[in-house]
């Protein structure tokens, strides 16, 4: 049994489940450690790749000022204007992210199946690309920080990869303990980090103030005129300065718009700009420093090792934020039927968002370590970076356009003008990353394609199963009329039959009646349904309907940021006059054995993939948190 998306009545006025009672300053401090880790550590490698990477340009004055101007206007337009000012407005009761955007459109596109299918595939593609981003971010961030040791001594070169692998492995092994304790120090550490970024940059700018002329966008034109096609290719390195925008939007629900905006404008943006311009000032003064990382070159000699240590801690925080984001993304995907059930461990009794998913954790760890061992250098790994970021940003722009048109009823001209403005940057960055596919970008494409194929296959397979059970489902009134006519034996107690659909009589009940020729005195037809909102209040959770003859239909709604809990839902029924003792109640679940021999239009390899995923899905008993000693499973074979 899995959830299916359905509509919910609107929340009562004034019921803002995502209202933040914490002071904005406190939330802003926490936001520094959670959502700005990725973009905050980008100075470690962005300018290094622009000048000394695979597609680097010579460190001439024209190129330095041109690259700095591109970085400045990318941060201003893409982050400050597109995401901070516009995209953050598209919140689903406080939550952000591509899945949240899709959920906002569900009710309006119910009868436009073709359009809905296209948007569903786009959303799944965006999520798949974020998974690829989640694999690369920890690897390149930690590797770039550890490489700073090379600035002090060449003897440390052989220890960079082993030390990076050790740090990453430790980080993943610690995930099962949750982030509650370490999360308390994330914010203060990042305050120190951004203060250090700004101070190092400011000291370099004072020595070379002419670098500030890069604020003039004319330098962008001069840069492209001097470099032609090579200048376009170098955009693939410039885009590294805006990595983390999607995480910024996806984590909006944890903090709200105001703290995110305060943090960006008052701390993050000034720190980043000062450091980038400081690196540019250093390169203007030392244009022959080929092979050096201009970020670590800003540090006085006696401060190099402390800076490497601080950079390492900051990249660990950035990696942790991305890993936690992947967990949240997976939870949403499970609730919206994009991937199979997985074991979800809640690591905090106080905070719902702190979860740990073992399967995802170990797969991420293997992928990250493999990337470090294969590429060995951040410069080579950077070639694989960027494509996922730019492609997911492009998809967000397209879905945001749909929200403005369908959800907010904007005029076509207004929505289209904004979309074209967004795509002006998105398409240029995406096109430039095409040149990096052969150098390593193919890894991101392979990861995203594999995940996308699995997501669409699972969703299509579940649709085939739903149609199969729909054909087998008996109308409720027909069943109750037959029940009154034949009056089977009724035994004491309560039985709960889990049903995919909130209509008709589930196959498990018919199967049970056929073999046992008896029913419990009280029968609950229970459906766990996914709502279009991230979370719900308890009073909206459960809907009870009396069908007569001891039968009741129970609809329990769960937001796409929540995990189903059937015992908890049954406890809520006591407020509606139905008291249920969970330990004297029997739960009947269906377990199907899938055979890839049916006549459905799904390709044979996809059928086998769906069967494999279904067999390895987390068992329904644990997923719905039902007491295992109260469960009866009824099996049947289904051809797909």
């Amino acid at each position: 049994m899995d959830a299916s998306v359905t509509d919910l009545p609107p929340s009562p006025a004034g019921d803002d489940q995502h209202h933040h009672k914490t002071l904005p300053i406190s939330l802003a401090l926490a936001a520094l450690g959670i959502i700005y880790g990725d973009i905050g550590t980008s100075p470690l490698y962005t300018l290094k790749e622009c000048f000394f990477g695979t597609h680097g340009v010579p460190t001439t004055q024209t190129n330095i000022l041109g690259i700095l101007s591109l970085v400045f206007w990318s941060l201003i337009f893409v982050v400050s204007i597109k995401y901070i000012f516009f995209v953050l407005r598209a919140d689903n009761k406080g939550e952000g992210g591509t899945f949240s955007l899709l959920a906002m459109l569900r009710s309006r596109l119910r009868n436009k199946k073709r359009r809905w299918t296209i948007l569903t595939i786009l959303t799944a593609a965006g999520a798949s690309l974020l998974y690829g981003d989640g694999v690369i971010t920890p690897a390149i961030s930690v590797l770039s920080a550890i490489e700073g040791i090379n600035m002090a001594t060449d003897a440390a070169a052989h220890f960079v990869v082993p030390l990076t692998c050790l740090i990453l492995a430790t980080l993943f092994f610690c995930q099962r303990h949750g982030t509650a304790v370490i999360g308390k120090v994330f914010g203060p550490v990042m305050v120190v980090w951004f203060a250090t970024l700004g101070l190092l940059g400011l000291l370099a700018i004072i020595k070379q103030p002419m670098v500030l002329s890069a604020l003039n966008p004319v330098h962008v034109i001069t840069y492209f005129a001097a470099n032609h096609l090579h200048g376009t290719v170098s955009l693939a390195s410039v885009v590294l300065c805006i990595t983390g925008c999607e995480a910024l939007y996806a984590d909006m629900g944890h903090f709200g718009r105001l703290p995110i905006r305060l943090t960006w404008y008052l701390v993050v943006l000034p720190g980043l700009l000062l450091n980038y311009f400081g690196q540019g000032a250093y390169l203007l003064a030392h244009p022959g420093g080929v092979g050096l990382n201009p970020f670590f070159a800003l540090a006085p000699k006696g401060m190099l090792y402390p800076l490497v240590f601080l950079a390492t801690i900051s990249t660990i925080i950035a990696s942790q934020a991305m890993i936690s984001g992947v967990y949240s993304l997976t939870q949403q995907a499970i609730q919206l039927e994009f991937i199979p059930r997985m074991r979800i461990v809640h690591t905090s009794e106080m905070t719902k968002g702190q979860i740990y998913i073992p399967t995802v954790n170990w797969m991420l760890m293997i992928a990250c370590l493999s990337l470090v061992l294969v590429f060995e250098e951040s410069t080579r790994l950077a070639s694989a970076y960027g494509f996922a970021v730019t492609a997911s940003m492009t998809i967000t722009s397209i879905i945001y356009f749909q929200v403005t048109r369908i959800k907010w009823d904007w005029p076509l001209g207004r929505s289209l003008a904004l979309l074209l403005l967004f795509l002006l940057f998105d398409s240029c960055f995406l096109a430039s990353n095409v040149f990096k596919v052969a150098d390593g970008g193919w890894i991101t494409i392979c990861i995203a394609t594999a995940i996308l194929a699995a997501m669409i296959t699972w969703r299509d397979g579940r649709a085939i199963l739903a149609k199969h059970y729909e054909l087998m489902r008996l109308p409720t009134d027909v069943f109750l009329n037959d029940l009154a006519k034949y009056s089977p034996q009724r035994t004491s107690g309560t039985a709960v039959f889990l049903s995919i659909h909130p209509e008709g009589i589930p196959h498990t009940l018919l199967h049970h009646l056929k073999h046992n020729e008896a029913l419990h005195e009280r029968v609950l037809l229970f459906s766990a349904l996914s709502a279009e909102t991230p979370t719900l209040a308890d009073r909206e959770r459960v809907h009870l309907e009396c069908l007569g003859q001891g039968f009741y239909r129970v609809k329990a709604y769960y937001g796409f940021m929540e995990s189903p809990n059937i015992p908890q839902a049954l406890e809520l029924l006591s407020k509606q006059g139905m008291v249920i003792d969970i330990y004297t109640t029997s739960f009947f679940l269906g377990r199907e054995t899938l055979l890839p021999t049916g006549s459905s239009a799904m390709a044979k390899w996809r059928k086998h993939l769906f069967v494999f995923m279904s067999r390895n899905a987390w068992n329904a008993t644990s997923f719905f948190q039902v007491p295992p000693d109260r469960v009866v499973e009824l099996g049947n074979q289904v051809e797909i």
Side-chain angles (χ1 to χ4, degrees):
M1 174 189 161
D2 284 88
S4 58
V5 178
T6 187
D7 284 328
L8 265 183
S11 300
D15 178 27
D16 185 2
Q17 301 166 45
H18 295 270
H19 175 67
H20 297 285
K21 296 182 179 179
T22 311
L23 291 174
I25 298 300
S26 301
L27 289 171
L29 182 64
L32 276 177
I34 300 299
I35 66 175
Y36 286 119
D38 191 359
I39 196 170
T41 54
S42 59
L44 283 168
Y45 44 78
T46 299
L47 289 193
K48 176 190 173 186
E49 294 307 314
C50 289
F51 294 105
F52 310 129
T54 306
H55 302 289
V57 295
T59 51
T60 64
Q61 180 174 312
T62 298
N63 290 342
I64 293 171
L65 296 178
I67 289 291
L68 285 179
S69 191
L70 282 169
V71 168
F72 173 77
W73 290 108
S74 296
L75 287 170
I76 294 299
F77 185 83
V78 177
V79 186
S80 298
I81 296 178
K82 176 185 173 180
Y83 278 91
I84 298 293
F85 187 78
F86 281 105
V87 176
L88 285 186
R89 294 182 175 187
D91 68 286
N92 189 340
K93 289 195 173 182
E95 292 290 342
T98 52
F99 280 134
S100 179
L101 284 177
L102 183 70
M104 291 171 66
L105 298 171
R106 174 70 180 186
S107 59
R108 300 292 186 96
L109 295 178
R110 186 175 299 279
N111 298 320
K112 299 179 181 179
K113 296 190 179 296
R114 183 178 179 182
R115 194 172 181 181
W116 173 253
T117 300
I118 294 173
L119 290 177
T120 298
I121 294 174
L122 271 178
T123 301
S128 302
L129 289 163
L130 283 179
Y131 276 110
D133 193 12
V135 171
I136 297 175
T137 294
I140 190 174
S141 298
V142 177
L143 191 57
S144 297
I146 300 301
E147 284 176 346
I149 301 176
N150 291 335
M151 297 285 292
T153 172
D154 294 334
H158 298 294
F159 298 99
V160 170
V161 171
L163 191 55
T164 299
C165 290
L166 178 62
I167 291 173
L168 287 173
T170 303
L171 177 63
F172 283 105
F173 273 103
C174 291
Q175 291 301 309
R176 65 179 183 272
H177 299 298
T179 59
V181 177
I182 193 172
K184 295 178 180 179
V185 299
F186 277 10
V189 169
M190 294 307 290
V191 168
V192 175
W193 171 251
F194 283 111
T196 303
L197 289 183
L199 180 61
L200 291 176
L202 182 61
L203 293 175
I205 292 171
I206 292 173
K207 297 177 182 178
Q208 201 77 26
M210 67 131 351
V211 74
L212 296 176
S213 64
L215 296 173
N216 189 339
V218 171
H219 287 289
V220 174
I221 300 173
T222 307
Y223 172 77
F224 284 116
N227 291 278
H228 306 295
L229 181 61
H230 194 182
T232 304
V233 175
S234 66
L235 282 176
S237 298
V238 174
V239 78
L240 297 176
C241 75
I242 55 174
T243 57
C245 289
E246 288 297 314
L248 179 152
Y249 177 45
D251 286 330
M252 178 173 60
H254 295 290
F255 308 103
R257 282 191 292 265
L258 180 59
I260 291 176
R261 286 171 172 165
L262 282 175
T263 307
W264 172 254
Y265 289 117
L266 298 180
V267 180
V268 181
L269 182 60
L272 291 177
L273 290 179
L274 285 173
N275 194 263
Y276 281 125
F277 276 76
Q279 291 185 47
Y282 173 84
L283 291 174
L284 284 174
H286 307 84
V290 179
L292 297 177
N293 188 328
F295 173 81
F296 289 107
L298 293 178
K301 290 185 179 179
M303 294 299 295
L304 180 59
Y305 286 112
L307 183 60
V308 171
F309 176 77
L310 178 60
T312 303
I313 298 298
S314 300
T315 55
I316 290 174
I317 292 174
S319 302
Q320 176 62 63
M322 182 57 71
I323 293 168
S324 299
V326 171
Y327 293 158
S328 298
L329 182 69
T330 302
Q331 184 182 33
Q332 293 181 34
I334 292 171
Q335 283 294 85
L336 295 175
E337 287 194 310
F338 279 101
I339 58 177
R341 296 185 302 267
M342 293 184 186
R343 183 189 175 199
I344 299 177
V345 180
H346 292 265
T347 59
S348 173
E349 295 181 358
M350 305 297 294
T351 307
K352 290 184 178 180
Q354 292 187 10
I355 59 174
Y356 165 64
I357 305 179
T359 303
V360 175
N361 185 69
W362 303 127
M363 291 177 68
L364 271 179
M365 186 186 77
I366 293 171
C368 285
L369 294 179
S370 299
L371 286 181
V372 173
L373 293 173
V374 170
F375 286 88
E376 296 183 335
E377 298 176 2
S378 62
T379 296
R380 296 177 60 194
L381 191 57
S383 297
Y385 208 25
F387 187 89
V389 176
T390 53
S392 60
M393 288 194 305
T394 304
I395 290 172
T396 297
S397 296
I398 294 172
I399 301 179
Y400 183 81
F401 166 75
Q402 298 295 328
V403 170
T404 61
R405 289 285 298 139
I406 299 170
K407 186 74 173 178
W408 298 341
D409 297 320
W410 282 16
L412 177 60
R414 182 183 177 188
S415 296
L416 191 59
L418 192 61
L419 173 65
L420 293 176
L421 200 58
F422 288 169
L423 292 181
L424 175 65
F425 276 77
D426 295 341
S427 59
C428 289
F429 284 134
L430 183 59
S432 67
N433 275 276
V434 172
F435 295 99
K436 293 169 62 176
V437 170
D439 297 325
W442 57 271
I443 288 184
T444 302
I445 296 175
C446 289
I447 293 174
T449 302
I451 295 175
L452 177 61
M455 281 185 170
I456 299 303
T457 296
W458 180 257
R459 191 166 179 85
D460 290 349
R462 294 304 301 177
I464 292 172
L465 274 182
K467 187 175 182 180
H468 168 80
Y469 285 118
E470 185 177 357
L471 295 174
M472 297 177 63
R473 195 170 66 246
L474 190 66
T476 305
D477 54 348
V478 174
F479 175 80
L480 292 177
N481 289 336
D482 289 344
L483 193 68
K485 185 184 300 183
Y486 295 105
S487 300
Q489 183 179 351
R490 306 296 287 261
T491 60
S492 61
T494 301
V496 177
F497 289 86
L498 273 66
S499 173
I500 295 177
H501 292 280
E503 299 174 356
I505 303 300
H507 174 71
T508 49
L509 191 152
L510 299 176
H511 201 47
H512 166 72
L513 183 58
K514 174 183 176 182
H515 288 280
N516 296 305
E517 298 182 352
L519 289 172
H520 287 72
E521 285 181 330
R522 187 167 57 179
V523 177
L524 273 60
L525 308 180
F526 190 101
S527 295
L529 306 170
S530 180
E532 295 180 0
T533 52
T535 59
L536 284 91
D538 283 347
R539 64 176 175 274
E540 296 179 307
R541 179 84 60 201
V542 181
H543 296 253
L544 178 66
E545 178 186 0
C546 179
L547 303 176
Q549 301 188 57
F551 278 74
Y552 301 85
R553 188 174 302 283
V554 180
K555 300 175 185 178
Y557 295 93
Y558 296 92
F560 53 78
M561 293 291 290
E562 299 177 311
S563 297
N565 187 324
I566 290 180
Q568 186 181 70
L570 295 182
E571 286 182 14
L572 293 175
L573 289 177
S574 61
K575 297 180 180 178
Q576 301 184 37
M578 178 178 286
V579 179
I580 297 176
D581 181 3
I582 197 74
Y583 296 104
T584 59
T585 301
S586 297
F587 295 85
F588 292 83
L589 281 70
R591 176 182 286 272
E592 59 267 352
T593 300
L594 302 179
L595 303 174
T597 54
S599 57
S600 64
M602 185 183 288
K604 192 170 183 179
W605 69 269
R606 294 182 68 204
K607 291 182 181 181
H608 284 283
L609 176 60
F610 178 68
V611 171
F612 173 79
M613 289 192 294
S614 183
R615 287 175 180 171
N616 289 277
W618 186 246
N619 66 82
T621 301
S622 299
F623 182 75
F624 292 104
Q625 304 182 52
V626 179
D629 58 343
R630 305 303 308 169
V631 173
V632 179
E633 292 190 346
L634 301 172
N636 67 306
Q637 290 187 341
V638 180
E639 290 186 317
I640 59 171

